[in-house]
């Protein structure tokens, strides 16, 4: 298990005015790019592979491997940088834009060099206008200093970085929806295959990486894969931005190594539960990751394996903490309403299913649910999971399935009185669903 | 009748150059149109967007209608957009919403008769660590309390 003790911050270090390019350069900024440009493209990809970096946007896919999927040759290809950051409980990329924008820009340039990409689009959610402006100012600095644009650092490599402002749609954080959004189409997710590395933006090979992932790539090139791979959990290494919110004393984004214990993050880093209350539940990686009971929180470490062991996943490392007074039925209703609102409507199981989930969870919130409604929720979840073009249906179903099974007494307590009888019988019947 | 200003036409040309197809500029051009048109997209503004990009108005409406931030109806001078998602709710967003409803005598989605405020509920703003939060137009106001809301309204109402 890793700990904050002795950890050196590299994504969001405590250096004032690091957003200014001169300050950034003074602290090793753009050294990673220089190093990358002195290497072959394949060697850069190998270095990222060797580092063990896994995507920080939610899926945790190995970044170097993803980069290696891009075909060689003269074909025009693109990089899409995903700064849509819409997953409830996630607020880390805005910290990078605000406090270390050049690290992200450097990582983007390294990625472009490694994959032979001449244009990168940075997709940032529409609400983040403030951070779009900060990033644009930083980009202008990078262009002025010759790090971006034509013939970068005189090495004959050219890349443009273009910012694209979203306009308020959670689904655009899904990579194929993001591509359709960039293309000016109605942003429905695309069926895979073909995968973006074959047919992506405007039909060309495309890689999509999260903002934090690209920032990590810059660190890897600057410090080396050997240094990087020793940080945090062995199979899911590196620094990570933990966003801790909800009922903690000091909510915020904290950088640490992967593999930290969830308990250390909640009780030491974030100052524990507010007002001396007890813990009721934690969602460890953004709203769609399965919720944890206090018993599971005891055991959880923040890396892919550590969270799989407690039946959840790392997601975006957005940790949502709920104290003993939290009404989990209401909280689940908030989430179900959100997913219903954000379903793009393309696939029937999601369009209809998210609506049903919201309505049935609302019945529990209003105290009108029957025990059949509990069974119905599980049945709807089963009819949504894995049956749609993108993962939004799964993201909507998982919180319901996990909250009502892991905290079933809370839902039982909210049933209409006459339905509380026979609950035991119902539970036996449901276990087969 | 809506037509783009000379300056905005220049901005639109610059936006078009950023993408390999003209169609791709539809989102940035919708932003420009919305800004010129007093923070909402009228049918005429949509027509103008379609015109400069050589797209059908139906396509432009198809795009614009998908996104919550393109306003399809006029909004007040100050668009108050309160986040009610999980981290904000855990920190009292509902209380903020009720307080605003009472103060402005509005229900969610409505605009005050004087056109000063529109009051909306929005999904996660990415302010989970500084919850509850809202946006007044494009600006974030975070760590909201009912007192802070009162002060803000006093400031905006001047």
């Amino acid at each position: 298990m890793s700990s904050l003790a002795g950890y050196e911050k590299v994504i969001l270090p405590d250096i004032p005015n690091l957003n200014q390019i001169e300050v950034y350069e003074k602290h090793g900024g753009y050294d990673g790019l220089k190093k990358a440009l002195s290497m072959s493209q394949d060697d850069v990809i190998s270095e990222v592979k060797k580092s063990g970096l896994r995507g920080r946007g939610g899926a945790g896919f190995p970044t170097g491997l993803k980069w290696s999927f891009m075909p060689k040759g003269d074909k025009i290809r693109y990089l899409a940088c995903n700064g849509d950051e819409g997953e409830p409980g996630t607020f880390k990329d805005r910290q990078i834009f605000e406090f270390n924008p050049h690290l992200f820009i450097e990582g983007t340039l390294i990625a472009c060099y490694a994959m032979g990409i001449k244009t990168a689009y940075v997709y940032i959610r529409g609400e983040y206008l403030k951070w779009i402006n900060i990033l644009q100012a930083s980009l202008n600095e990078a262009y002025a200093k010759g790090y971006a644009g034509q013939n970068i650092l005189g090495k004959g490599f050219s890349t443009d970085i273009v910012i694209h402002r979203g306009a308020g749609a959670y689904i655009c954080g899904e990579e194929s929806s993001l591509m359709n959004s960039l293309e000016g189409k109605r942003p429905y997710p695309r069926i895979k295959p073909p995968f973006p590395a074959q047919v992506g933006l405007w039909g060309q090979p495309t890689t999509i990486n999260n903002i934090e992932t690209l920032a990590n790539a810059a660190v890897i090139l600057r410090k080396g894969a050997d240094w990087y791979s020793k940080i945090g959990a062995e199979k899911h290494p590196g620094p990570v931005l933990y966003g801790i919110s909800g009922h903690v004393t000091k909510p915020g984004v904290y950088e640490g190594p992967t593999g930290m214990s969830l308990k250390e993050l909640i009780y030491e880093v974030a100052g524990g539960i507010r007002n001396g209350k007890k813990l009721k539940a934690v969602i460890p990686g953004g709203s769609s990751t399965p919720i944890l009971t206090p018993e599971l929180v005891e055991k959880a470490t923040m890396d892919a394996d550590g969270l799989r062991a407690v039946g959840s996943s790392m997601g975006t490392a957005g940790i949502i903490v709920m104290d003993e007074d939290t009404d989990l039925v209401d909280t689940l209703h908030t989430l179900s309403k959100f997913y219903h609102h954000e379903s793009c409507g393309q696939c029937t199981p999601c369009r209809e299913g998210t609506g049903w989930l919201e309505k049935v969870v609302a019945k529990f919130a209003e105290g009108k649910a029957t025990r059949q409604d509990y069974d119905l929720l599980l049945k709807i979840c089963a009819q949504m999971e894995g049956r749609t073009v993108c993962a939004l249906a799964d993201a909507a179903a998982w919180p319901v399935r996990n909250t009502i099974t892991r905290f079933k007494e809370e839902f039982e307590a909210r049933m209409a009185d006459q339905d509380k009888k026979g609950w035991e019988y119902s539970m036996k019947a449901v276990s087969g669903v | 009748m809506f037509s783009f200003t000379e300056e905005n036409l220049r901005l639109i040309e610059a936006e078009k150059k950023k993408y390999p197809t003209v169609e791709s500029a539809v989102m940035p051009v919708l932003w420009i149109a919305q800004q010129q048109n007093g923070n909402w997209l009228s049918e005429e503004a949509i027509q103008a967007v379609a015109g400069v990009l050589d797209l059908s108005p139906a396509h432009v409406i198809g795009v614009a209608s998908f996104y919550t931030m393109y306003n399809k109806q006029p909004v007040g001078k100050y668009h108050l957009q309160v986040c009610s998602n999980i981290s904000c709710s855990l920190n009292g967003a509902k209380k903020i919403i009720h307080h605003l409803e009472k103060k402005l005598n509005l229900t969610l989605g409505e605009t005050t008769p004087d056109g000063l405020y529109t009051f909306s509920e929005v999904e996660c703003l990415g302010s989970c660590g500084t919850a509850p939060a809202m946006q007044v137009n494009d600006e974030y106001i975070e760590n909201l309390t009912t007192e802070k809301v009162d002060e803000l309204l006093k400031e905006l109402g001047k």
Side-chain angles (χ1 to χ4, degrees), chain A residues 75-396:
Chain A
K75 258 191 169 178
I76 294 173
R77 59 201 86 188
Y78 296 105
L79 178 70
C81 313
N82 189 344
D84 197 51
E85 187 147 271
E87 179 82 356
T90 309
F91 50 109
K92 62 192 181 63
D93 295 340
R94 65 180 258 193
Q95 306 286 328
I96 297 175
F97 293 140
E98 185 160 347
F99 299 106
N100 206 354
H102 286 290
L103 188 70
F104 157 69
I105 294 171
E106 184 178 358
T108 300
L109 292 163
I110 290 166
C112 287
Y113 172 72
M115 292 179 276
I117 291 167
K118 296 212 163 56
T119 318
Y121 290 91
V122 190
Y123 193 104
I124 305 181
R125 60 179 303 175
E127 293 87 347
Y128 279 5
L129 187 60
K130 174 181 162 186
W131 295 279
I132 288 173
N133 291 335
I134 292 172
L135 184 67
Q136 186 62 58
S138 303
L139 261 181
N140 295 347
E141 287 182 323
Y143 268 89
K145 285 239 174 182
Y147 292 120
Q150 295 301 303
N151 192 17
I152 292 168
L153 299 173
K155 299 280 188 181
F157 170 68
S158 304
T159 285
D160 281 310
I161 301 178
V162 176
I163 298 176
H164 182 94
R165 184 184 181 193
Y170 168 73
I171 194 61
C172 290
E174 194 280 334
E175 61 181 19
S176 62
S177 165
L178 184 149
M179 292 194 290
N180 276 343
S181 181
L182 263 169
E183 289 185 20
K185 299 187 167 80
R186 202 168 159 88
Y188 289 137
R190 300 176 184 174
I191 291 172
K192 292 182 228 180
F195 289 95
Q198 276 83 48
V199 182
L201 279 169
W202 301 287
Q204 303 299 122
T206 300
T207 292
I208 300 106
N209 284 138
N210 174 260
I211 303 300
E212 188 185 345
T213 309
L214 289 161
N216 272 271
V219 172
I220 290 163
L221 266 291
R222 188 192 304 167
K223 299 254 193 187
D226 290 332
W227 178 88
Y228 186 94
S229 63
K230 290 192 184 75
I231 298 172
E234 196 186 333
K235 290 182 184 158
H236 192 170
V240 65
L241 300 182
Y242 297 106
I244 312 178
S245 68
H247 298 138
V248 288
T249 309
K250 295 183 291 176
V253 170
Y254 299 95
E255 179 182 339
T258 56
M260 283 180 69
S261 89
L262 189 49
K263 260 177 84 182
E264 180 183 349
L265 284 161
I266 295 168
Y267 290 100
E268 287 167 43
V269 177
I273 315 295
R274 244 174 9 209
N275 306 324
K277 298 271 184 189
K278 284 200 204 99
L279 181 71
K280 181 181 266 185
V282 176
I283 298 174
S287 65
S288 53
T289 57
I291 192 165
L292 301 174
T293 59
E295 296 73 43
L296 294 173
V297 170
E298 288 288 321
K299 294 185 270 185
T301 59
M302 291 297 287
D303 57 276
D305 291 339
L307 285 164
R308 195 181 303 119
V310 293
S312 192
S313 67
M314 180 85 164
T316 58
I319 300 164
I320 306 164
V321 180
M322 291 163 263
D323 71 16
E324 58 187 319
D325 297 337
T326 308
D327 183 336
L328 282 179
V329 179
D330 272 357
T331 303
L332 182 63
H333 183 240
T334 299
L335 290 181
S336 294
K337 187 167 148 251
F338 165 72
Y339 288 110
H340 182 209
H341 181 255
E342 300 298 338
S343 172
C344 79
Q346 183 177 215
C347 309
T348 309
C350 179
R351 181 183 64 240
E352 301 300 320
T354 52
W356 275 87
L357 290 181
E358 185 195 341
K359 273 183 225 152
V360 180
V361 173
K363 279 181 82 176
F364 281 92
E366 292 157 8
K368 290 179 188 160
T370 64
R371 63 192 174 87
Q372 283 86 354
D373 286 322
Y374 186 94
D375 304 2
L376 181 59
L377 282 177
L378 291 173
K379 203 168 149 191
I380 298 165
C381 290
Q383 287 167 349
M384 292 170 72
E385 290 156 343
R387 289 167 198 262
T388 49
V389 166
C390 84
L392 192 141
D394 305 80

Side-chain angles (χ1 to χ4, degrees), chain A residues 89 91 94 121 125 127-129 164-168 181-184 186-187 202 245 247 274 337-338, chain B residues 18-19 24 27 31 59 62 65-69 85 87 90-91 121 123-124 126-128 135 138 140 142:
Chain A
F91 50 109
R94 65 180 258 193
Y121 290 91
R125 60 179 303 175
E127 293 87 347
Y128 279 5
L129 187 60
H164 182 94
R165 184 184 181 193
S181 181
L182 263 169
E183 289 185 20
R186 202 168 159 88
W202 301 287
S245 68
H247 298 138
R274 244 174 9 209
K337 187 167 148 251
F338 165 72
Chain B
K18 292 180 182 173
Y19 306 91
S24 302
M27 289 184 71
W31 278 121
H59 180 86
S65 63
F66 193 91
Y67 299 94
T68 53
M69 293 180 75
N85 213 302
S87 299
L90 292 173
N91 284 293
E121 187 179 23
E123 295 301 353
C124 187
S127 285
C128 318
Q135 278 194 294
D138 286 322
Y140 274 67
E142 302 177 302

